Amino acid sequence: MTIDEVSRPSRVAGADEAISPEELQLAARNHGIPLEALRYDVTPAGLHYLLIHYDIPDLDPVTHTLTVDGAVGRPLRLGLTELRERPRVTRRVAMECAGNGRALLHPRPVSQPWLVEAAGNAEWTGTPLAPLLREAGIAPEAVDVVFTGADHGVERGVEQDYQRALPVADALRDEVLLAYEMNGAPLLPQHGAPLRLIVPGWYGMAHVKWLRAISVLTGEFDGYQNAVAYRLRRDADDPGVPVTRIEPRALVRPPGFPDFMSRSRVLRPGPCTVDGRAWSGHGPVVAVEVTTDGGVSWTPAILDPPTGGEWSWRRWRYEWTPQPGRYSLGARATDASGRTQPVEQPWNRGGFANNLIQRVDVLVVGE
């Protein structure tokens, strides 16, 4: 008996292949934000998107420790009390799963079947990582910093602790946090209690939960989650390029009320404010455009003033007065780097960084 009997290679679904029981199991275990929760500047913890790779580990915050070792001059070992005694910072951060939108691709990569809801915007409180690394004394020849979680499992035949690495320059960014609170309360178990990493601007795979160890390497980290998973590749033999920062995205908060099964929206004629949120990991969102005809035409939306700092999402709104009929709503964001959401999404084997424009079908019915 071998692990390979329960952990199979990645694959792409057949042309007409339905969502599998395994994918449904993942979809039930993980969850996206209900789109009506886009009304909140700060996403309540229970509504924030959630992805758990393996099991939620059973950790005692009283005895939990974080080690810092590897290519450092002074290895460290700190408990949560010691981390709480260090300088305290709160940052509001828009976070998105790298696989958001995967289930909308054709052909579909078989994995967690996200549509567009794998996002949230929370306030994370903790202590900055950079001073801790400097205190440990990073070696001049250091290349990567590896973050190890307490969650353990097997993926594509590889048994592992969940580990992700950041280049030293990214790990030393001022905004990177060792977080122990979410929205002013201690972290919930599913959100990484008692300690997690927060890397503003990067997709969610970088924000290692249940953090127990930090190791500084003098070479590139070749662990599974860096070297195999979370890479943009065309086929199984393509080495690909790493997934890092969040591509720009705008989401529509669906107007009106939904049909139970289809989630199609029903709306009465008359004035209606269509709104939503937009964010990017490459720079501030500088424009959002709205379509009501499935992308045939676009109209600029109004951007509300930024709230919560440079890593938070931003509200946009559009005043609309529809007549009875069928409409297909969507929004696209442009950030300060010039990146804009695509109308047609380039395909990749993992289904990562898919920021294709969302569609919200609306039926406007007469009185």
Side-chain angles (χ1 to χ4, degrees), residues 122-268:
E123 288 186 340
W124 305 96
T125 299
T127 193
L129 172 65
L132 193 71
L133 292 176
R134 293 191 177 100
E135 184 178 316
I138 295 180
E141 64 271 24
V143 173
D144 275 355
V145 182
V146 180
F147 302 88
T148 301
D151 47 331
H152 184 86
V154 59
E155 196 163 343
R156 309 307 183 194
V158 180
E159 186 176 350
Q160 60 192 281
D161 292 334
Y162 186 85
Q163 292 181 301
R164 278 283 305 184
L166 292 172
V168 167
D170 288 293
L172 290 174
R173 288 165 51 206
D174 290 342
E175 57 267 25
V176 178
L177 288 182
L178 301 173
Y180 43 73
E181 291 182 7
M182 179 184 187
N183 294 351
L187 288 174
L188 295 170
Q190 67 270 34
H191 284 295
L195 187 69
R196 72 174 297 171
L197 185 68
I198 296 295
V199 188
W202 282 52
Y203 281 110
M205 78 283 159
H207 303 239
V208 177
K209 294 185 281 189
W210 310 294
L211 185 65
R212 65 173 183 83
I214 300 172
S215 296
V216 179
L217 305 185
T218 56
E220 288 189 10
F221 178 57
D222 62 358
Y224 179 88
Q225 301 296 339
N226 270 67
V228 180
Y230 296 108
R231 300 184 75 84
L232 301 172
R233 47 166 59 96
R234 296 295 303 175
D235 54 53
D237 296 324
D238 179 5
V241 296
V243 177
T244 56
R245 289 180 177 268
I246 299 171
E247 296 299 319
R249 185 187 291 278
L251 287 183
V252 177
R253 181 166 68 100
F257 54 91
D259 170 69
F260 172 70
M261 282 297 297
S262 68
R263 309 311 294 179
S264 293
R265 309 302 292 190
V266 179
L267 188 64
R268 306 295 182 195

